[in-house]
């Protein structure tokens, strides 16, 4: 457990440090954030034709209201926490790769729902928008990270249990000791004669 915790902290700090590099921000973070805005617009325009995207901003062409997807709202930080937990946990690399891909999809799918909900909450009520943005969605995203990681760990435990041979239902019986042959008893050749005393009463002679 201590090894997992130390690896988790080390990997997480390393990934956050890489995320803060200018070249990573320019060539990875900003393009992904702009793509996230376009994905949200593509979904919103299925039922609302007034939505549009400009860079990392999702805005309403009719009202002029918009939300900017800033660091912390693009799902990258939540993915870093999940990736660190998956890599630090002892498992096969194949299972870790499955956890990284599935975790990224799960976190970013929920993050799309977050951006779209905040886009409409901001047009409805500013106070509700601030509460959802600062507290509610932050907690829900981290809860999503925890649930995805626990499901991944459980799936790995089940796969490992299936690969191991099942234990015997009952303990093996102790070995049976060998049976020693018993020699037959000798039978006397003649008839059996009783050697008991004659206890019959004496016979008086007749007069």
């Amino acid at each position: 457990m201590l090894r997992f915790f130390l690896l988790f902290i080390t990997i997480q700090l390393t990934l956050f440090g890489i995320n803060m590099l200018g070249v990573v921000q320019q060539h990875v973070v900003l393009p992904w954030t702009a793509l996230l805005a376009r994905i949200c617009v593509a979904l919103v325009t299925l039922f609302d034709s007034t939505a549009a995207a400009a860079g990392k901003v999702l805005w309403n062409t009719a009202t002029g209201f918009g939300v900017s997807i800033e660091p912390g709202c693009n799902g990258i930080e939540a993915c870093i926490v999940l990736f660190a937990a998956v890599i630090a946990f002892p498992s096969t690399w194949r299972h870790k790769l499955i956890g990284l891909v599935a975790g990224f999809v799960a976190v970013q799918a929920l993050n799309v729902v977050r951006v779209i909900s905040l886009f409409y909450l901001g047009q409805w009520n500013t106070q509700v928008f601030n509460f959802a943005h600062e507290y509610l969605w932050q907690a829900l995203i981290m809860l999503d990270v925890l649930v995805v990681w626990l499901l991944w760990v459980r799936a790995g435990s089940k796969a490992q249990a299936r690969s191991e041979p099942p234990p015997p239902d009952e303990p093996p019986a102790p070995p049976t000791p060998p049976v020693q042959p018993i020699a037959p008893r000798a039978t006397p050749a003649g008839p059996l004669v009783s050697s008991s005393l004659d206890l019959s009463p004496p016979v008086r002679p007749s007069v």
Side-chain angles (χ1 to χ4, degrees):
M1 187 65 183
L2 179 60
R3 178 179 178 274
F4 164 74
F5 181 75
L6 294 177
L7 279 176
F8 172 68
I9 296 297
T10 302
I11 296 172
Q12 189 175 184
L13 292 177
T14 302
L15 292 178
F16 273 116
I18 295 174
N19 180 61
M20 295 299 295
L21 296 176
V23 62
V24 176
Q25 288 285 326
Q26 181 178 0
H27 296 285
V28 178
V29 177
L30 290 179
W32 167 252
T33 306
L35 176 61
L36 180 62
R38 292 196 297 271
I39 293 174
C40 293
V41 167
L43 294 175
V44 170
T45 50
L46 295 177
F47 55 87
D48 186 357
S49 60
T50 62
K56 60 180 181 178
V57 177
L58 176 64
W59 62 293
N60 189 307
T61 56
T63 63
F65 177 85
V67 291
S68 178
I69 306 175
E70 298 296 333
C73 296
N74 52 17
I76 293 179
E77 289 77 4
C79 286
I80 287 177
V81 176
L82 179 61
F83 288 0
V86 169
I87 297 173
F89 192 80
S91 181
T92 63
W93 283 108
R94 179 178 180 275
H95 188 57
K96 288 182 179 181
L97 180 61
I98 294 174
L100 295 177
V101 174
F104 179 82
V105 172
V107 170
Q108 292 299 337
L110 185 61
N111 195 57
V112 168
V113 177
R114 171 170 70 169
V115 173
I116 294 176
S117 68
L118 292 176
F119 174 67
Y120 284 101
L121 285 176
Q123 300 179 67
W124 173 59
N125 189 298
T126 304
Q127 293 181 347
V128 176
F129 169 84
N130 291 333
F131 173 78
H133 177 255
E134 297 293 336
Y135 303 104
L136 179 60
W137 272 114
Q138 295 291 345
L140 290 177
I141 290 293
M142 295 313 298
L143 180 62
D144 181 42
V145 170
L146 178 61
V147 170
V148 169
W149 183 75
L150 290 176
L151 291 176
W152 173 78
V153 171
R154 183 180 180 184
S157 300
K158 288 185 176 181
Q160 184 178 4
R162 286 193 299 266
S163 63
E164 294 178 353
D169 296 335
E170 296 181 358
T176 305
V179 179
Q180 298 293 337
I182 301 175
R185 298 177 62 182
T187 304
L192 294 176
V193 179
S194 174
S195 60
S196 61
L197 297 177
D198 187 6
L199 301 179
S200 58
V203 178
R204 288 185 176 184
S206 58
V207 179

